[in-house]
Amino acid sequence: MKQPNDLIERYVYAVTKRLPAKLRADVSRELYGLIDDMLAERCGELVPADRDVRVVLTELGSPGELREKYTEGRKNCLIGAPHYAVYRLVLGIVLACVVFGMTVACLVSQLVSPTGPWYAILFEWLGILISALVYAFAFVTVLFAVFHHRDVDLGDGLNLDDLPPVPKKRQSVSRWECLFGIGISVLFLAVFLSAPQIFCIYSSGRFVPIFDTAAVRATWYFIALFSAAGIVRETVKLMRGRYDQKVMLTTLAADAVSAVLSVLWLTTPGLVNPAFQAEVPILFGAQNTFLVNLFSNFPYFFLGLILFALLLDAVDAVVRAARQN
């Protein structure tokens, strides 16, 4: 049987862990004080037993319900507590990365291959950026609407026996790690769909794109699904807040989907720019067969890097989840 103090600590943690940082300390103190008062009223001078603690915490309600009171959340909405706080965080980082990625991609692409006067470029950038922001907003909103209306568990525990223990530092998921992963997925999508010519070499006094722009954009669905899988994986980590079996299974599934999409995308014929393939022997010298073969088959090299990164991510999720047991 769990100790009462441990149960109270886990309950307060479950309530406060997704509150804004500036509220957590105050809400924690308020909850501890409220629970102490309720226990004192119930038990008087007697030491509260585990049963007394459970009765008091049950009267307070589930962690999600209590958190909703502090965040003024509502159930009859598209996205409400407890998912809304995570939704705002993910939406903010996704939109910021879209703006950053599209801006950098536009600037670099114009340096590599200018396409017209500055005002035409500006209006083109604004049009593409607005469209990208709308799609990003729609994707994140639909994703969290599904999470909310299907009551996807955030790991708070629906009753007292299900409350997760307060994670130790090495067991918790870093919020910044998740946000970085989401940002990388968004930047990957923004760069490859808006300006794949960013990936280029400088040879013979000119920039030569590695990928064929038309071929890359023709396979947009592989890139979009790959990025979506990455966003879902990192979002689930962010919502759960700890490495557990659900995070492990989600990570394995997302990494498997990403691996399949990577293979399908990077083995598509015609993905490499023919001008790049012709320039490689000139740049490295025909006698340097290793580099010539490596860059001539750049999609396979890129595929190997992606698969290796996905493998490391999957192994890391399994190892960290195993440490929870």
Side-chain angles (χ1 to χ4, degrees), residues 121-133:
I121 296 170
L122 177 61
F123 283 115
E124 180 183 6
W125 170 78
L126 284 174
I128 296 174
L129 178 61
I130 291 172
S131 298
L133 289 173

Side-chain angles (χ1 to χ4, degrees), residues 135-205:
Y135 284 122
F137 175 82
F139 171 75
V140 176
T141 301
V142 169
L143 176 65
F144 275 89
V146 172
F147 285 162
H148 182 63
H149 289 279
R150 290 188 174 273
D151 292 322
V152 173
D153 182 19
L154 300 189
D156 293 340
L158 298 178
N159 55 60
L160 297 181
D161 290 323
D162 293 333
L163 288 176
V166 179
K168 298 178 181 178
K169 186 174 181 180
R170 65 184 180 86
Q171 296 172 330
S172 61
V173 175
S174 168
R175 171 174 290 196
W176 293 110
E177 178 185 327
C178 297
L179 296 180
F180 178 77
I182 292 172
I184 290 297
S185 296
V186 175
L187 289 175
F188 182 89
L189 177 65
V191 168
F192 270 101
L193 290 189
S194 63
Q197 63 268 33
I198 282 180
F199 299 95
C200 61
I201 60 171
Y202 187 78
S203 178
S204 304

Side-chain angles (χ1 to χ4, degrees), residues 255-320:
D255 287 344
V257 170
S258 298
V260 172
L261 291 170
S262 300
V263 172
L264 293 175
W265 175 46
L266 290 170
T267 56
T268 301
L271 208 59
V272 178
N273 181 13
F276 168 76
Q277 291 180 315
E279 199 69 31
V280 167
I282 300 174
L283 179 64
F284 296 107
Q287 69 278 7
N288 197 335
T289 55
F290 174 76
L291 289 178
V292 170
N293 289 332
L294 177 65
F295 281 90
S296 296
N297 297 282
F298 185 79
Y300 295 99
F301 171 68
F302 191 34
L303 175 61
L305 292 179
I306 292 176
L307 294 179
F308 181 68
L310 292 173
L311 178 61
L312 289 181
D313 185 60
V315 171
D316 180 64
V318 172
V319 171
R320 295 200 188 198

